[in-house]
Amino acid sequence: MATFQGKTTINRTITDIYAFLSDFNNHKQLMPDNIQNWTSTYNEAGFGIQNMVQLSLQIVERIENSAVKIVATGNPPFPVKLLWDLRSADAGTEVTFTIDAELNMMMKMMASTPLQKLANHEVERLAAVLS
Protein backbone atom coordinates (compact mmCIF):
# COMPACT_ATOMS: atom_id res chain seq x y z
CA MET A 1 0.00 0.00 0.00
CA ALA A 2 1.33 3.42 -0.97
CA THR A 3 -0.04 6.50 0.75
CA PHE A 4 0.00 10.06 -0.58
CA GLN A 5 -1.28 13.06 1.38
CA GLY A 6 -2.02 16.71 0.88
CA LYS A 7 -2.89 19.03 3.78
CA THR A 8 -4.15 22.56 4.17
CA THR A 9 -6.03 24.78 6.59
CA ILE A 10 -9.02 26.70 5.24
CA ASN A 11 -10.62 29.65 6.98
CA ARG A 12 -14.15 28.22 6.64
CA THR A 13 -16.35 26.23 8.98
CA ILE A 14 -16.05 22.47 9.01
CA THR A 15 -19.75 22.34 8.08
CA ASP A 16 -19.15 24.37 4.88
CA ILE A 17 -16.21 22.23 3.80
CA TYR A 18 -17.98 18.96 4.59
CA ALA A 19 -21.07 20.07 2.63
CA PHE A 20 -18.87 20.85 -0.39
CA LEU A 21 -16.87 17.60 -0.27
CA SER A 22 -19.83 15.31 0.43
CA ASP A 23 -21.32 16.07 -3.03
CA PHE A 24 -19.35 14.62 -5.96
CA ASN A 25 -20.86 17.27 -8.24
CA ASN A 26 -18.48 19.77 -6.58
CA HIS A 27 -15.32 17.73 -7.08
CA LYS A 28 -14.87 18.71 -10.73
CA GLN A 29 -13.65 22.09 -9.46
CA LEU A 30 -10.79 20.32 -7.67
CA MET A 31 -9.52 18.30 -10.62
CA PRO A 32 -6.39 19.02 -12.65
CA ASP A 33 -6.58 20.18 -16.28
CA ASN A 34 -5.85 16.73 -17.75
CA ILE A 35 -9.23 15.39 -16.55
CA GLN A 36 -11.70 14.84 -19.39
CA ASN A 37 -15.34 13.80 -19.79
CA TRP A 38 -16.33 14.46 -16.17
CA THR A 39 -19.73 13.12 -15.16
CA SER A 40 -21.09 13.08 -11.64
CA THR A 41 -24.01 12.58 -9.33
CA TYR A 42 -24.18 13.20 -5.61
CA ASN A 43 -22.59 9.77 -4.91
CA GLU A 44 -20.56 8.89 -8.02
CA ALA A 45 -18.16 10.39 -10.52
CA GLY A 46 -16.56 9.22 -13.72
CA PHE A 47 -13.80 10.79 -15.78
CA GLY A 48 -10.86 10.13 -18.03
CA ILE A 49 -7.27 11.06 -17.48
CA GLN A 50 -5.86 12.44 -20.71
CA ASN A 51 -4.19 9.69 -22.77
CA MET A 52 -4.34 7.25 -19.86
CA VAL A 53 -7.41 5.68 -18.25
CA GLN A 54 -11.11 6.05 -17.45
CA LEU A 55 -11.96 5.99 -13.73
CA SER A 56 -15.16 5.64 -11.76
CA LEU A 57 -15.37 6.70 -8.12
CA GLN A 58 -18.05 6.27 -5.49
CA ILE A 59 -18.51 7.87 -2.10
CA VAL A 60 -18.90 4.88 0.24
CA GLU A 61 -19.12 6.68 3.57
CA ARG A 62 -19.89 10.14 4.85
CA ILE A 63 -19.15 10.95 8.49
CA GLU A 64 -20.85 14.28 9.09
CA ASN A 65 -18.40 17.15 9.54
CA SER A 66 -15.53 14.68 9.79
CA ALA A 67 -14.77 12.58 6.69
CA VAL A 68 -15.73 11.56 3.17
CA LYS A 69 -14.51 8.12 2.04
CA ILE A 70 -14.26 7.29 -1.67
CA VAL A 71 -13.30 4.13 -3.58
CA ALA A 72 -12.57 3.38 -7.21
CA THR A 73 -15.20 1.13 -8.77
CA GLY A 74 -15.43 -0.84 -11.99
CA ASN A 75 -12.06 -1.92 -13.28
CA PRO A 76 -9.43 0.57 -12.02
CA PRO A 77 -5.77 0.01 -12.98
CA PHE A 78 -5.09 -0.61 -9.27
CA PRO A 79 -7.22 -0.60 -6.09
CA VAL A 80 -7.43 2.90 -4.63
CA LYS A 81 -9.16 4.54 -1.67
CA LEU A 82 -9.49 8.28 -1.14
CA LEU A 83 -10.20 9.98 2.16
CA TRP A 84 -11.05 13.59 2.95
CA ASP A 85 -10.48 14.11 6.68
CA LEU A 86 -11.69 17.30 8.41
CA ARG A 87 -10.69 18.64 11.81
CA SER A 88 -11.55 21.92 13.51
CA ALA A 89 -8.53 24.18 13.97
CA ASP A 90 -7.92 27.62 15.47
CA ALA A 91 -7.65 29.17 12.02
CA GLY A 92 -10.66 27.38 10.51
CA THR A 93 -10.63 23.77 9.35
CA GLU A 94 -7.67 21.47 8.83
CA VAL A 95 -8.19 19.35 5.72
CA THR A 96 -6.20 16.23 4.83
CA PHE A 97 -6.66 14.39 1.53
CA THR A 98 -5.22 10.88 1.51
CA ILE A 99 -4.81 8.55 -1.45
CA ASP A 100 -4.17 4.90 -0.54
CA ALA A 101 -3.19 2.87 -3.58
CA GLU A 102 -2.23 -0.78 -3.86
CA LEU A 103 0.72 -0.48 -6.21
CA ASN A 104 3.23 -3.12 -7.22
CA MET A 105 6.87 -1.99 -7.40
CA MET A 106 6.70 -1.04 -11.09
CA MET A 107 3.44 0.89 -10.70
CA LYS A 108 4.81 2.60 -7.60
CA MET A 109 7.79 3.88 -9.57
CA MET A 110 5.54 5.22 -12.33
CA ALA A 111 2.58 6.50 -10.30
CA SER A 112 4.05 7.89 -7.06
CA THR A 113 4.92 11.34 -8.35
CA PRO A 114 1.60 11.89 -10.20
CA LEU A 115 -0.42 10.65 -7.20
CA GLN A 116 1.43 12.94 -4.78
CA LYS A 117 0.92 15.86 -7.19
CA LEU A 118 -2.79 14.99 -7.35
CA ALA A 119 -3.10 14.96 -3.54
CA ASN A 120 -1.40 18.35 -3.32
CA HIS A 121 -3.42 19.79 -6.21
CA GLU A 122 -6.77 18.74 -4.75
CA VAL A 123 -6.17 20.41 -1.37
CA GLU A 124 -4.74 23.54 -3.03
CA ARG A 125 -7.79 23.80 -5.31
CA LEU A 126 -10.15 23.19 -2.38
CA ALA A 127 -8.50 26.05 -0.49
CA ALA A 128 -8.75 28.30 -3.56
CA VAL A 129 -12.37 27.43 -4.34
CA LEU A 130 -13.57 27.88 -0.75
CA SER A 131 -11.55 30.98 0.11
Side-chain angles (χ1 to χ4, degrees):
M1 182 75 69
T3 300
F4 309 93
Q5 283 190 333
K7 293 183 180 184
T8 192
T9 301
I10 301 172
N11 190 15
R12 293 283 292 267
T13 68
I14 200 167
T15 304
D16 289 346
I17 296 170
Y18 173 80
F20 181 90
L21 291 172
S22 66
D23 184 348
F24 248 141
N25 292 307
N26 295 323
H27 286 240
K28 183 177 182 182
Q29 299 172 63
L30 308 179
M31 293 293 157
D33 293 337
N34 64 340
I35 297 299
Q36 300 174 327
N37 303 318
W38 177 271
T39 60
S40 60
T41 66
Y42 183 72
N43 292 313
E44 298 177 345
F47 56 91
I49 300 173
Q50 190 172 11
N51 300 322
M52 291 177 69
V53 67
Q54 287 288 123
L55 287 177
S56 296
L57 301 175
Q58 180 179 22
I59 295 175
V60 292
E61 185 176 10
R62 292 176 179 87
I63 303 170
E64 189 171 353
N65 298 329
S66 179
V68 177
K69 296 179 182 182
I70 302 165
V71 297
T73 60
N75 191 19
F78 47 84
V80 64
K81 297 176 186 171
L82 312 172
L83 172 65
W84 287 98
D85 186 55
L86 309 174
R87 304 222 185 276
S88 291
D90 291 338
T93 302
E94 183 180 294
V95 180
T96 304
F97 179 57
T98 304
I99 301 170
D100 283 327
E102 292 184 29
L103 303 173
N104 63 35
M105 193 56 81
M106 179 64 94
M107 286 296 289
K108 190 171 185 177
M109 289 177 12
M110 293 185 331
S112 287
T113 298
L115 288 172
Q116 184 59 57
K117 284 183 180 179
L118 176 63
N120 293 337
H121 178 84
E122 293 245 344
V123 295
E124 289 166 8
R125 286 293 307 143
L126 181 66
V129 168
L130 295 180
S131 292

